[in-house]
Amino acid sequence: MGSRSRERRSEAVQSTNDSSALSKSSLAARGYVHDAFAALLVPGTARRAPLIHRGYYVRARAVRHCVRAFVERTCAAPGSPRAQILSLGAGSDSLYFRLKTAGRLAEAAVWEVDFPDVAERKAQRIRDTPDLCALTGPFQRGDPGSNLCFESSDYRILGLDLRQLQRLDQALAAAGLDAAAPTLLLAEAVLTYLEPDDAAALIAWAAQRFSNAIFVVYEQMRPQDAFGEFMQQHFRHLNSPLHGLDRFPDAEAQQKRFLQAGWTACRAMDLNEFYRCFLPAEERRRVENLEPFDEFEEWHLKCAHYFILAASRGDSLSQTLVFPPSETFPRIDPASPSGVFPASVVTGDTQGPGLRRYGHASVLLSPGVIFSAGGFGEQEGRHCRVSKFHMLLRDSDFEWKGNQIGSWGTGAQWDGRLYHTMTRLSDTQALVLGGRLSPVTPALGILQLSYEKEDNSSEDPNVTVTKFGPEDSTLSRWRHSTTEVSCENQKYLFVYGGRSVAEPVLSDWHFLHVGTMTWVRIPVEGEGPEGRHSHSACSWQGGALIAGGLGASEEPLSSVFFLKPITCGFLWESIAIQPPITPRYSHTAHVVNGKLLLVGGVWIHSPAVPGVTVIDLSTGLSFEYQIDTTCVPWPLMLHNHTSILFPEEQQLLLLGGGGNCFSFGTHFNPHTVTLDLSSLSARQ
Ligand SMILES: C[S@@+](CC[C@H](N)C(=O)[O-])C[C@H]1O[C@@H](n2cnc3c(N)ncnc32)[C@H](O)[C@@H]1O
C-alpha cells in the first residue's frame, strides 16, 4: 500500500471514532445509560435508531462490567499501589469522567492513547469545556514535541500510533505509567483495525510489560456466516477493513490467542451471553421497553458477532473473576449434520425483478404462481415498505420469472404492512391478516387480494385490494401465524400468537370461519403454548404445528406444539423431541412425509448457522441438515424470508429475507433460491 492510501486508511480508521462517539451520545440522550459527558465530548448530535441504541447499550454495559470488576478489586485494598486504566484507541470515550464523578479515581488514574489528531482534538475539547475542566482539575499540555496532549493529576491523553510499540512504551513510561501497578488495559472496538501482527505484538507487549493486569477487549467476530460477511463488507466499504477475524473467528480462538500470548487466565463470550447472564432481568426489561422495537433478528445477530473478553495475569488480578461461571446460558453444540441440502438460484438478474424484501408474505396460488405481498424492501431504488406485489411465474420450460405489479382500480390500496400473514383462498385470491406499519402502528382490517391475468394477454396482471371485516383488535398483531385447520368438515383459519403494541408476546388464538368470514369459538383443551411471536406454523392432519418463536423476555424457544383435532374441537399436545432442538425463531416450516422441517431463522445458543432441522413427527427424533450455499450469491440471510414447498419435486423455494443489519446497512437476499431436499428421502 502506498503512503497516500495508508494515510487515507488511517483517516478512515480515525473516523470510526466519530460515528461511535455520536452513537454513545445518542444512547445517553435516550436514557439507556447515564453518561452526561458523551455529548460534551463530541461535536454535533445524531439520533440513532433503537437497534443501534441496543447495540451500543450492551457494549457499554459489557465494558462497564469489566471496568467495575477491576476497580472494585484494585481500589478496595487500602495501601495498595495506585491502579491504572490504560485505554488503547480511546477515541472520544467518556470513561475518565464517569469514573471521576462516581468517585472511583481516588486510588486510580486513567491514561488514554489514540492517533495524535484524535488525541489532540479530545484534549482541546476538554480544555474548551468548563464542565469537563472542572472534573479534571488543574491540567497542562505536555512539552511541545512530546506525545502528551493533556495531563492532570489523574488523567493523561497521549497521541501515539499503537503499531509503534517502542515509542508507545517509552511515552507511557515518561507519562508516569507504572508497569508494576495493577493495570486495566482496555481496547474497545480497536484491535480489529490493526493488522493481525500489530495486534498480536500489542497483546504480547502488554503481557510482558504489566505484571499484574487485566486486558479487556470488545470487538467483532464470526466473519464466516452471512451476517459476518455483510459486517465485513461494510467495514471494507468504509476503507477500515476488519483484520484478524479469520485467524480468530470466535470467542474460543480469542481466548486461546491471549493465553498463548502470556496471559494466564482468559474468558470471552458473545454479547448475547453477556446480556442474558450478566445483566439483571429487571434491567433488561427496562431497556427493552425504552423505545418501540421490532428488529429482534438483527439485535441477536449483532450480539452474536461481537465478544467481550477479559484476560488477566499477575498475583492478584489473575484471580479476579471478571465473569464468574454462569449456568444460565446453555450452549448447544450443533449435532453433527445428517445431510446437506444444496441451494441454487432459481431467478437470476435476467429473470425479472427479484424479491428484494423481508417481512413479506408469500403463497402458492396455483402450481406455477407464487404471489408475495408487503414487507420492507427495495422499490424504485428506495428502501421502503413496498407497495408493489411480486409474482413468480413458472413458464412452460419450467423456468421461474419474477414480476412486480401494482394494485388496480380506485378502491383500497396496499397499505404498506409487514409481518402479516397471507393465506390462499383460491387460484386467484389470497387473504391478508394482521401485520404492522410501524412498531407502534398495527395495520388495520383484513385485506383480500385478487389477482387477475387475462389469458394470452400481454398486459401486466392486476391485483385488486378489497378491505373488509371489522377493524377489531383481534388482528392488531404481527409476527403471528395463520394456519388452515379443519373441524367437523369446516375450514378455519387458526390465528395464533404474535405481538401487539401493548403486548411483547401474545398467547391467544382465534378461529376464522372461512366460508362466512366470521370469528367463531371452538373448544380447545390442554395446556396451550407459552406466548410467542415469529414462530412457525403449518397445517398437519387437520390441525396446526407451532414451532419455536421468540418468547416473553425476548428468549428464543424450542418447544413444538400440535393443535390436534379431536371430536368437537382441538387439543394442545406438546411434542417431545430428541435430541432437543436449538431454540430458534424467524424461521419457516413445512411438513414433508411426516417430517417437520424448520428452515433457517435465528438462534443464539449455538455457534453454528441455522440450517434445516428435521423432526420426525412419529418418533420425535430430530436431525440437523446444513444448507450448502456455495452455488448461490453470498451472503444469503435466512430470516424474515418466506418459503414455498414443492413436495413432488423435493424442492423448497426460499423467497426474500434479510434485514436491517445494525449500522452496517440493510441486506436483501438478491435472488430466489431453491433447496434440493432429495437427500431427505434417502433417510426414510
Ligand atoms: C471505533 S473507535 C473506538 C473508540 C473508543 N474505544 C470507543 O469505544 O468509543 C476506534 C478507535 O481506535 C483508534 N485507533 C485505531 N487504530 C489505531 C492506532 N494504530 N493507533 C492509535 N489509535 C488507533 C481510532 O483512532 C479510533 O479512535
Side-chain angles (χ1 to χ4, degrees), residues 293-421:
F293 186 79
D294 202 30
E295 289 162 316
F296 305 99
E297 291 85 353
E298 292 77 24
W299 155 238
H300 285 137
L301 286 166
K302 189 267 166 184
C303 287
H305 286 78
Y306 280 79
F307 66 88
I308 183 79
L309 170 149
S312 51
R313 68 190 308 275
D315 292 345
S316 65
L317 287 179
S318 61
Q319 284 153 31
T320 304
L321 277 184
V322 177
F323 299 115
S326 58
E327 294 295 329
T328 50
F329 198 79
R331 280 269 156 212
I332 300 176
D333 284 329
S336 41
S338 300
V340 173
F341 296 143
S344 54
V345 170
V346 290
T347 53
D349 289 329
T350 53
Q351 282 142 316
L355 196 88
R356 296 169 72 94
R357 56 177 88 183
Y358 64 81
H360 56 295
S362 306
V363 283
L364 183 67
L365 284 180
S366 55
V369 181
I370 297 173
F371 179 60
S372 299
F376 186 89
E378 259 180 26
Q379 187 168 284
E380 282 141 21
R382 286 190 313 127
H383 289 183
C384 58
R385 288 186 281 123
V386 280
S387 58
K388 291 207 166 154
F389 304 101
H390 188 273
M391 306 296 306
L392 204 52
L393 302 170
R394 187 139 68 167
D395 63 19
S396 47
D397 298 329
F398 257 58
E399 287 224 347
W400 289 101
K401 295 236 160 49
N403 196 5
Q404 303 254 35
I405 44 178
S407 47
W408 181 249
T410 52
Q413 299 288 312
W414 180 257
D415 55 10
R417 59 182 80 189
L418 56 156
Y419 294 125
H420 49 288
T421 61

Side-chain angles (χ1 to χ4, degrees), residues 255-312:
Q255 280 171 187
K256 223 190 236 168
R257 170 196 205 181
F258 274 78
L259 293 173
Q260 283 172 351
W263 296 85
T264 50
C266 185
R267 173 128 191 244
M269 70 189 73
D270 76 18
L271 272 289
N272 282 315
E273 182 170 356
F274 174 79
Y275 183 74
R276 301 230 148 249
C277 298
F278 293 95
L279 290 180
E282 230 164 279
E283 169 63 2
R284 294 203 305 266
R285 237 187 336 270
R286 179 189 77 82
V287 165
E288 286 163 8
N289 289 309
L290 277 176
E291 291 184 275
F293 186 79
D294 202 30
E295 289 162 316
F296 305 99
E297 291 85 353
E298 292 77 24
W299 155 238
H300 285 137
L301 286 166
K302 189 267 166 184
C303 287
H305 286 78
Y306 280 79
F307 66 88
I308 183 79
L309 170 149
S312 51

Side-chain angles (χ1 to χ4, degrees), residues 69 87 122 126 143 155 196-198 222 244 368 372 498 532 625 639 672-673:
S87 181
K122 184 171 189 179
I126 297 169
D143 298 334
Y155 189 26
D197 289 346
D198 291 319
R222 290 184 62 185
S372 299
R532 62 190 70 201
Y625 281 72
H639 60 271
T672 298
V673 158

Side-chain angles (χ1 to χ4, degrees), residues 13 16-17 20 24 59 89-90 114-115 160-162 188-189 194:
V13 168
T16 60
N17 171 57
S20 170
K24 288 184 173 186
R59 162 176 170 173
D114 209 301
F115 281 117
L160 288 159
D161 187 330
L162 296 170
E188 180 184 341
L194 306 181

